[in-house]
Amino acid sequence: MSRLSKTLLLPVGAAVLLAGPLQAQTLPVPQNVVQLSASGSVEVPQDFLTLVLSTTREAADAGAVQTQLKSAIDAALAEARKSAQPGQMDVRSGAFSLYPRYTKEGKISTWQGTAEIVLEGRDFGRISTTAGRVPALTVSQVDFSLSREQRTRVEAQAQTMAIDKFKAKAGEIARAFGFADYSLREVSVNADDANPPRPRIMAMQAKSASADMAGVPVEAGKSTVQVTVSGAVQLK
């Protein structure tokens, strides 16, 4: 009988033994592992302004309201775009809503609609002055935040601070427990920012000529960007 034949005629028991379920292995419980976290935060002035201008119209016919709103928004956009500059002040249309108003009997009495344009960017003076010149619209919301460039720069600073604090804390804990050093097992990095309450300005019914020339008064606050590093280290 050839060697190949002998291999094919292995005892059935041996085949069953090879195909049987493997024994579950229990991994050792990690020892001398410490969970910890550290944070770094940086406070900076807000450098990005979003200003919303809106107008409201009401009429018995929905089509008439929509036409009036379109006319007002087109005129507002045309005026605002005269001062637009990429990054410094961008102009775009905002929300548009149209809904019926009902009588006590449940019948539609009139239609009311609201439309918005949005001025946003880093040039607060340009945005404020432009808002004062836009015809027929009033300020309905002011929102300060961090520009993308500012946020990226500040997050990098806060992250460096958090990592340095994490490493120093891990070293202190290792030495406090009588170990010479540590190694990193796992880590997570999370960024967040805390802004002050966003001011909201209710639309006024009318603006005087002097108010138009002066523009809309705005003043930014500050944002605190915080980065937290958390994870586990192996003491050794």
Side-chain angles (χ1 to χ4, degrees):
M1 184 177 292
S2 67
R3 179 174 301 178
L4 179 59
S5 300
K6 290 181 180 179
T7 303
L8 293 175
L9 294 176
L10 286 172
V12 175
V16 173
L17 181 60
L18 291 174
L22 297 176
Q23 291 283 336
Q25 295 184 354
T26 303
L27 296 176
V29 178
Q31 295 181 345
N32 304 327
V33 175
V34 177
Q35 300 280 345
L36 68 151
S37 65
S39 297
S41 62
V42 179
E43 184 182 66
V44 291
Q46 296 163 328
D47 68 332
F48 195 85
L49 170 62
T50 300
L51 196 150
V52 180
L53 302 172
S54 65
T55 186
T56 300
R57 296 290 187 275
E58 186 173 359
D61 180 66
V65 175
Q66 185 168 332
T67 299
Q68 293 173 20
L69 289 175
K70 182 180 183 303
S71 177
I73 292 300
D74 286 345
L77 288 173
E79 177 62 35
R81 284 169 180 157
K82 294 177 183 178
S83 303
Q85 184 176 348
Q88 301 304 309
M89 189 190 81
D90 294 305
V91 180
R92 60 181 173 87
S93 57
F96 184 99
S97 62
L98 182 64
Y99 52 89
R101 303 189 69 178
Y102 295 91
T103 63
K104 294 181 179 179
E105 292 76 24
K107 296 182 179 180
I108 296 177
S109 59
T110 58
W111 288 83
Q112 189 174 77
T114 301
E116 300 175 342
I117 70 168
V118 180
L119 312 180
E120 57 187 2
R122 295 189 296 270
D123 191 336
F124 292 3
R126 181 187 297 266
I127 294 172
S128 170
T129 302
T130 302
R133 292 199 306 263
V134 172
L137 272 68
T138 51
V139 178
S140 60
Q141 184 175 343
V142 179
D143 184 21
F144 294 99
S145 59
L146 298 180
S147 64
R148 182 178 303 175
E149 297 81 6
Q150 179 85 311
R151 181 181 300 279
T152 299
R153 181 181 65 82
V154 174
E155 279 188 6
Q157 293 177 359
Q159 179 175 289
T160 299
M161 294 173 59
I163 292 174
D164 289 344
K165 289 182 178 180
F166 183 93
K167 292 162 64 177
K169 193 173 183 180
E172 292 173 0
I173 292 175
R175 291 189 295 272
F177 281 103
F179 291 86
D181 203 355
Y182 70 90
S183 60
L184 189 64
R185 289 177 58 91
E186 59 184 21
V187 66
S188 64
V189 180
N190 298 290
D192 194 11
D193 67 280
N195 295 324
R198 297 176 178 177
R200 184 175 180 84
I201 302 176
M202 301 306 295
M204 298 176 291
Q205 293 300 317
K207 294 185 292 186
S208 65
S210 60
D212 289 346
M213 294 300 293
V216 178
V218 293
E219 184 175 355
K222 293 184 177 181
S223 287
T224 300
V225 176
Q226 179 173 292
V227 174
T228 300
V229 177
S230 57
V233 296
Q234 176 75 58
L235 306 183
K236 61 181 183 178

